[in-house]
């Protein structure tokens, strides 16, 4: 392995691979000064910094020196109060009661084995090197270690920080960001993803304003309101042009991604735990670890950014045992029957599932004691005796005897006031003294910062999984947190609860997935309310949204694909009219919106299945046959405008290329459109499976594939047509000619 980290005698540090260089130095004063992040440099240690020491009329100078102010110095881990007025990475009350921390360079270490962070999911190592920079505030005996991991084969830089109180007095942390990135002035735009229930992953693009722009969450989950993703892009960046700096976190709770354009136009990006409502007491001898922040630099637009994320998430974040493993097709009971499930109905649906050729029956909400609607029973994870008299293990065995896999739904983090668990342990919920807790979907949130709650939940879920017939678990979470307080923590630690909750959740997930490594876990939080790399470290796939109307889903998959490979996504054919927005669409278009998701299935009632049996059989046949293709491949967004979407998916072996084209609203007399494919072998031909015709790889990329015409009248033979009317979809499948 080549040496990716180099250090000069005068403390210039470089992390360089074939995709980027990241360079910084310890200034003579001991300030970690950022130098370069961008394309790989031939001689990174020679990157220039001289212009950063200039006298400014109004700037305060650091430690009273000359010409050196932190207010215009790009830094690696800035704090507040010593001449920098921007939002800091580190902030909090020190042992003297004021908030001035000042970190100085102390030393470094380079390690080959990527360190893991205590209690938190981290990206896996491999061909990587990690640079650990130690900084100290000698006055308050605070040590901060900055971690930088670079990989030989990936464009992702992983950062984290670890604080240690080495004094004998308590220190407090309010800002403990994972990373800070100070970029030089440039015309940047921000791309981020916002949304809400059933409308997740909307991509918004805005100019970087003067001042501060933040995407964050204070809801306890990373949330659908803002996915933990933010990219700074060169103005005018497109799918295949422009410099991109993109960031995410391996974290599932309250996060913040903050962009600040300072008085000198430089741009600071901070990534980490949301400082709002966060406060951590660091007792002498104790350490605090931030979650990992991931950074991608791409110089060829959003497509190359997404490819880098996809490869990394697949290889270094997702549970290893599911990497490149085809996912079973499934029938989920939710939109087929909602809470009206019982053993007979499930077994009937299992027969229907078998009939249409799906691989797995998933029993969603409604199976446990007293659960007839969403007003009761969360917390009591035993099968409802009246409706499931033989219990879940026996039901699972019966479903499996039909030649299907069996999956089940849990919402472990919640409790209804109407439940045995709440009666027994009213204190086990997040709450604050003297205030009536707010309800969300009639439920309360369990206090996962308490180890006894984690033990209880582990026991309940383990009881069911231990029968050995459960192949899949859908892990749901259907409310945001309120009255976030814990009866188990003292008054002065109440602002630690949100983070301790997430650590408890990770502990539970770690224990369960370690005991059941072959069970496929699907992450869900009312759809995409906690779709992040923290959860996806434990669960191989996620339910991106409850929006199963194909036109709504197109937006969701489009946004989701900026960061997440479709290997980690699931989609099913839901009912029409759609239950979320009432739209009527064909079975085929409903399937097609999720055609490139790794996990595909249906959630339809018996009568809908009967009505569309043949179509479903043929779609599920295709889904099953292509399941191995839909993991590990390359996804590309080719066209996205108000009325059209076109995606390309190239399989891992590059032999099969799919092109999915969606046309939303029909109109007469449309232009003939083409899609230019990408990443093909220009020297080979590709056969279009539907008619055996051949196209050159170069022609498909340069001149493009003529897209089907939405017919509104006369049909000409030389033209390929889409179904007439709204919401149509077309799938091309090409095979590379191997001769
Ligand atoms: C919300 C999920 O997103 C749905 O798919 C379904 O599982 C329901 N919860 C069940 O209550």
């Amino acid at each position: 392995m080549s040496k990716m980290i180099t250090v000069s005698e005068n403390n210039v540090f470089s992390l360089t691979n074939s995709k980027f260089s990241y360079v910084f130095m310890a200034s003579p004063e001991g300030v970690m000064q950022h130098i370069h992040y961008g394309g790989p440099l031939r001689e990174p240690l020679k990157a220039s910094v001289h212009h950063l020491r200039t006298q400014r009329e109004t700037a305060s100078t650091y430690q009273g020196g000359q010409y050196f102010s932190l207010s215009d110095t790009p830094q690696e881990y800035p704090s507040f109060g010593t001449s920098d007025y921007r939002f800091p990475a580190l902030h909090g009350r020190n042992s003297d009661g004021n908030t001035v921390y000042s970190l100085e360079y102390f030393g470094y270490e380079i390690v080959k084995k990527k360190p893991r962070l205590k209690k938190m999911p981290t990206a896996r190592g491999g061909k990587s090197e990690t640079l650990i920079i130690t900084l100290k505030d000698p006055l308050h005996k605070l040590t901060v270690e900055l971690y930088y991991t670079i990989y030989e084969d990936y464009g992702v830089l992983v950062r984290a920080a670890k604080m240690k109180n080495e004094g004998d007095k308590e220190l407090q942390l309010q800002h403990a960001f994972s990373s800070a990135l100070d970029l030089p002035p440039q015309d940047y735009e921000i791309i981020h993803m916002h949304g809400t229930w059933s409308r997740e992953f909307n991509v918004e693009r805005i100019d970087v304003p003067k001042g501060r722009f933040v995407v964050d969450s204070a809801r306890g989950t990373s949330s659908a309101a803002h996915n933990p993703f933010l990219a700074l892009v060169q103005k005018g960046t497109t799918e295949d042009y422009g410099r991109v700096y993109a960031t995410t976190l391996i974290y599932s709770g309250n996060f913040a991604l903050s962009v600040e354009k300072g008085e000198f136009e430089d741009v600071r990006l901070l990534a980490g735990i949301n400082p709002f409502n966060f406060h951590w007491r660091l007792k002498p001898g104790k350490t605090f670890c931030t979650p990992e922040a991931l950074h991608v630099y791409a110089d060829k637009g959003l497509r190359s950014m997404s490819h880098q994320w996809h490869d990394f998430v697949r290889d270094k974040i997702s549970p290893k045992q599911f990497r490149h493993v085809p996912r079973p097709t499934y029938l989920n009971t939710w939109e087929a029957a909602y809470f009206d499930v019982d053993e007979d109905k499930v077994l009937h649906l299992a027969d229907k599932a078998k009939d249409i050729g799906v691989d797995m029956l998933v029993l969603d909400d409604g199976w446990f004691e007293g659960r007839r609607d969403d007003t009761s029973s969360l917390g009591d994870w035993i099968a409802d005796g009246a409706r499931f008299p033989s219990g879940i293990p026996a039901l699972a065995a019966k479903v499996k005897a039909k030649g299907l896999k069996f999956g089940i739904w849990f919402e472990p983090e919640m409790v209804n006031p109407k439940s045995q668990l709440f009666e027994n342990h009213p204190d086990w919920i997040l709450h604050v003294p003297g205030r009536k807790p707010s309800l969300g979907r009639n439920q309360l949130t369990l206090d996962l910062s308490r180890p006894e709650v984690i033990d209880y939940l582990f026991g309940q879920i383990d009881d069911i999984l231990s029968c050995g017939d459960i192949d899949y678990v859908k892990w749901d979470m259907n409310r945001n947190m309120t009255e976030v307080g814990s009866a188990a923590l003292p008054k002065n630690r109440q602002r630690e609860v949100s983070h301790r909750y997430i650590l408890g959740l990770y502990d539970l997930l770690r224990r369960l997935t370690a005991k059941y490594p072959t069970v496929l876990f699907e992450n869900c939080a009312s759809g995409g309310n906690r779709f992040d790399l923290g959860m996806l470290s434990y669960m191989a796939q996620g339910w991106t949204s409850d929006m199963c109307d194909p036109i709504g889903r197109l937006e969701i998959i489009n946004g989701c694909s900026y960061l997440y490979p479709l290997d980690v996504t699931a989609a099913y054919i839901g009912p029409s009219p759609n239950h979320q927005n009432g739209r009527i669409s064909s079975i085929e278009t409903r399937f097609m919106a999720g055609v490139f998701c790794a996990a595909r299935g249906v959630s339809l009632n018996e009568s809908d299945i009967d009505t569309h049996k043949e179509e479903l059989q043929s779609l599920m046949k295709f889904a099953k046959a292509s399941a191995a293709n839909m993991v590990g491949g390359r996804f590309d967004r080719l066209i996205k405008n108000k009325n059209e979407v076109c995606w390309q998916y190239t399989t891992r072996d590059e032999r099969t290329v799919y092109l999915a084209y969606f046309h939303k609203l029909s109109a007469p007399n449309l232009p003939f459109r083409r899609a230019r494919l990408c990443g093909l072998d220009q020297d080979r031909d590709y056969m279009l499976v539907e008619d055996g015709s051949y196209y050159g790889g170069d022609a498909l990329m340069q001149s493009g594939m003529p897209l089907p015409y939405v017919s509104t009248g006369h049909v000409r033979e030389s033209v390929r047509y889409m179904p007439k009317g709204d919401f149509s979809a077309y799938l091309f499948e090409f095979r590379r000619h191997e001769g």
Side-chain angles (χ1 to χ4, degrees), residues 105-126:
Y105 175 66
F106 186 75
Y108 77 92
E109 192 188 347
I110 297 170
V111 293
K112 293 272 178 222
K113 192 167 179 305
K114 184 173 178 290
R116 301 194 74 83
L117 299 175
K118 221 165 114 196
K119 300 184 180 171
M120 259 180 297
T122 47
R124 287 187 291 277

Side-chain angles (χ1 to χ4, degrees), residues 190 208 211-213 230 232 257-261 267-269:
I190 291 171
V208 174
R212 216 157 66 79
F213 172 86
L230 189 140
L232 287 167
L257 295 167
S258 147
V259 178
E260 181 170 4
K261 194 178 203 174
V267 173
R268 170 170 294 172
L269 172 63

Side-chain angles (χ1 to χ4, degrees), residues 333 337 340-353 361 363 384-392 394-395 398-399 402 606:
T333 58
D340 189 14
V341 279
D342 58 34
E343 185 165 327
D344 278 355
K345 198 172 228 167
V346 171
L347 290 172
H348 269 118
L349 279 168
D351 289 334
K352 297 284 167 195
L361 189 286
L363 173 55
D384 186 279
R387 288 173 300 143
F388 293 91
S390 6
I392 296 302
L395 174 65
K398 285 182 196 170
V399 170
K402 293 177 189 288
E606 291 191 28

Side-chain angles (χ1 to χ4, degrees), residues 641-657:
N641 58 40
K642 248 176 142 177
N643 213 24
E644 293 165 300
V645 170
C646 185
W647 295 327
Q648 178 184 335
Y649 183 87
T650 310
T651 56
R652 189 153 55 98
D653 62 8
E654 301 191 353
R655 287 172 172 223
T656 305
V657 178

Side-chain angles (χ1 to χ4, degrees), residues 62-298:
Y62 179 63
Q63 292 181 345
Q66 250 196 331
Y67 304 148
F68 187 57
S69 171
L70 298 188
S71 63
D72 63 358
T73 299
Q75 294 155 71
E76 287 300 304
Y77 205 69
S79 56
F80 178 77
T82 58
S83 79
D84 187 354
Y85 299 99
R86 292 165 290 178
F87 211 59
L90 172 74
H91 191 57
R93 224 176 75 157
N94 59 35
S95 47
D96 288 334
N98 64 67
T99 56
V100 182
Y101 283 116
S102 185
L103 298 171
E104 291 169 18
Y105 175 66
F106 186 75
Y108 77 92
E109 192 188 347
I110 297 170
V111 293
K112 293 272 178 222
K113 192 167 179 305
K114 184 173 178 290
R116 301 194 74 83
L117 299 175
K118 221 165 114 196
K119 300 184 180 171
M120 259 180 297
T122 47
R124 287 187 291 277
K127 287 187 205 158
S128 67
E129 290 173 1
T130 301
L131 171 64
I132 307 168
I133 298 286
T134 302
L135 308 174
K136 284 186 190 281
D137 181 334
L139 194 58
H140 298 294
K141 308 276 185 296
L142 173 68
T143 295
V144 176
E145 287 176 354
L146 303 181
Y147 290 75
Y148 300 80
T149 301
I150 182 168
Y151 294 78
E152 196 165 280
D153 303 322
Y154 300 90
V156 173
L157 172 71
V158 181
R159 290 189 55 181
K162 195 197 265 180
M163 290 74 177
K164 182 161 190 204
N165 183 349
E166 294 188 317
D168 52 13
K169 295 193 194 108
E170 181 183 278
L171 301 174
Q172 297 176 16
L173 301 172
Q174 247 170 285
H175 292 207
F177 278 96
S178 306
S179 76
L181 185 61
D182 280 354
L183 294 171
Q186 199 195 302
D187 245 355
Y188 295 106
E189 293 171 324
I190 291 171
I191 296 182
H192 70 104
M193 295 187 287
H194 65 95
T196 182
W197 173 75
S198 264
R199 281 193 286 111
E200 298 88 345
F201 293 109
N202 298 284
V203 176
E204 185 176 70
R205 188 164 173 157
I206 51 168
D207 284 341
V208 174
K210 280 270 176 52
R212 216 157 66 79
F213 172 86
V214 186
V215 294
D216 68 359
S217 169
R219 295 161 190 257
T221 65
S222 50
S223 104
H226 296 289
N227 196 264
F229 166 84
L230 189 140
L232 287 167
V233 303
Q234 178 185 352
K235 214 176 174 73
T237 289
T238 62
E239 283 290 341
D240 47 24
Y241 162 82
R243 283 195 291 274
V244 178
Y245 297 91
T247 308
T248 189
L249 290 157
I250 307 185
Y251 193 57
S252 310
N254 296 338
F255 75 94
L257 295 167
S258 147
V259 178
E260 181 170 4
K261 194 178 203 174
E263 59 183 319
F264 305 118
E265 311 261 323
D266 35 22
V267 173
R268 170 170 294 172
L269 172 63
L270 297 174
I273 293 175
N274 193 351
F276 170 70
N277 214 21
F278 171 79
H279 192 262
W280 197 269
R281 307 184 87 88
L282 202 57
K283 292 268 184 217
K286 293 283 178 197
T287 54
F288 178 84
C289 291
T290 71
E292 286 187 341
L294 309 184
H295 295 271
V296 155
Y297 169 74

